[in-house]
Amino acid sequence: MIKLKSYAAQTHQGPHLSVNEDDIDIDLSNKLYLLLDGFGGAGIGDKATKESKETIKTFYTRISSDPDSTLPFFYSYKYLIEGNALINAFHCSHSKILKTNSSLEMSQRGGCSVLGVAQSENVLSFVSTGNCVAYLLRNGSIATVCVPDILGSMQEIATSNTFQSFPLSGIGLFPDLYLTTKEVKVQSGDLIILMTDGIYCRTSPKEVRALVEQNDIPFNKKISELFNIANTRGNLDNQSAILLKY
């Protein structure tokens, strides 16, 4: 099994907001990595993000460790047990937050975009909903693994001052939950890059690749540099990123 050589993870409220509705989680024991971007406002989105993270972690670790367990929401032979477990964990979280939201006024409802990565042997299972992005950097080339499900395209956002990164799906957003699921066979030297819209809306994949490949920037400082680039270009949002180096 290929091993994770190093990682970096950072979340921040950004240059203009006092509350961080983003969140991250690095679970090395279960090889589970989560990136979350909440919506709903202060005291709402941040709580929804925390609840979603804990639900996904609890559900995933229980199911993935028991291959004979019943998956209550979804099962496909197409995916490994880890991928199926992560999909079910997303649906479990969505069901809980949707139920909470049903008793609240619209202005009090919250939820979050989530991107999860689970490792099994040499395969990474990616599951995402909403406005997070996943890149794979391999042998000097960068490719998009998970494209954000948002109002505008990533290219439109990068060239426009109009805010278009509103998620079209997410935990607790609409009754139907739309997920992107990918499995990638990871190789030695691969770098996985997970980001919320507070970064990717103000940077291009080529710029991200160029920065993370710079040897004069310590690995644990590369995310801060990505934050700085986005902020100098007018970022108004929370910011989070995870780097996984194999």
Side-chain angles (χ1 to χ4, degrees):
M1 178 178 68
I2 196 165
K3 293 184 178 180
L4 181 67
K5 295 177 181 177
S6 58
Y7 73 89
Q10 190 174 339
T11 183
H12 192 267
Q13 71 266 22
H16 298 285
L17 299 176
S18 58
V19 174
N20 190 1
E21 296 178 75
D22 282 10
D23 205 350
I24 53 178
D25 195 84
I26 303 292
D27 186 343
L28 296 176
S29 297
N30 294 291
K31 299 179 178 62
L32 176 65
Y33 315 101
L34 298 174
L35 182 78
L36 307 96
D37 184 349
F39 50 80
I44 300 174
D46 49 325
K47 291 182 179 179
T49 297
K50 181 178 179 180
E51 180 181 355
S52 183
K53 180 178 75 171
E54 294 306 317
T55 301
I56 291 172
K57 286 186 62 179
T58 300
F59 193 98
Y60 174 81
T61 53
R62 184 174 74 246
I63 298 298
S64 63
S65 62
D66 182 8
D68 297 322
S69 60
T70 301
L71 300 176
F73 299 99
F74 174 89
Y75 180 77
S76 172
Y77 290 104
K78 179 180 179 180
Y79 305 121
L80 299 174
I81 184 63
E82 288 77 11
N84 278 287
L86 193 52
I87 291 170
N88 277 266
F90 274 51
H91 280 287
C92 180
S93 175
H94 180 61
S95 179
K96 289 182 64 175
I97 292 185
L98 206 61
K99 183 177 180 180
T100 298
N101 283 342
S102 66
S103 62
L104 300 174
E105 296 292 332
M106 186 65 69
S107 61
Q108 296 299 309
R109 296 179 182 181
C112 58
S113 301
V114 187
L115 200 168
V117 181
Q119 182 178 356
S120 174
E121 299 296 333
N122 294 348
V123 176
L124 298 182
S125 296
F126 294 77
V127 179
S128 69
T129 182
N131 59 358
C132 299
V133 70
Y135 294 134
L136 166 63
L137 180 60
R138 175 181 291 173
N139 298 327
S141 298
I142 191 166
T144 305
V145 179
C146 294
V147 177
D149 187 6
I150 54 178
L151 188 62
S153 71
M154 294 171 65
Q155 183 176 359
E156 289 172 340
I157 291 171
T159 59
S160 172
N161 292 323
T162 304
F163 185 77
Q164 301 183 69
S165 63
F166 180 84
L168 297 181
S169 183
I171 302 294
L173 184 58
F174 301 122
D176 292 331
L177 180 64
Y178 296 95
L179 301 176
T180 297
T181 305
K182 298 284 184 67
E183 289 183 345
V184 176
K185 189 172 183 180
V186 70
Q187 301 177 8
S188 178
D190 283 354
L191 179 64
I192 305 298
I193 306 165
L194 315 178
M195 300 188 298
T196 59
D197 60 342
I199 308 174
Y200 77 73
C201 282
R202 305 288 178 173
T203 57
S204 70
K206 289 183 179 180
E207 289 174 323
V208 173
R209 181 199 66 193
L211 188 143
V212 298
E213 286 185 328
Q214 289 186 36
N215 294 326
D216 58 335
I217 302 177
F219 188 72
N220 62 347
K221 301 294 184 182
K222 294 181 187 293
I223 294 178
S224 294
E225 290 300 318
L226 287 171
F227 286 1
N228 290 337
I229 292 174
N231 292 340
T232 58
R233 295 175 179 174
N235 172 57
L236 303 175
D237 205 352
N238 304 145
Q239 299 170 297
S240 299
I242 297 174
L243 306 180
L244 305 172
K245 187 175 183 180
Y246 289 89

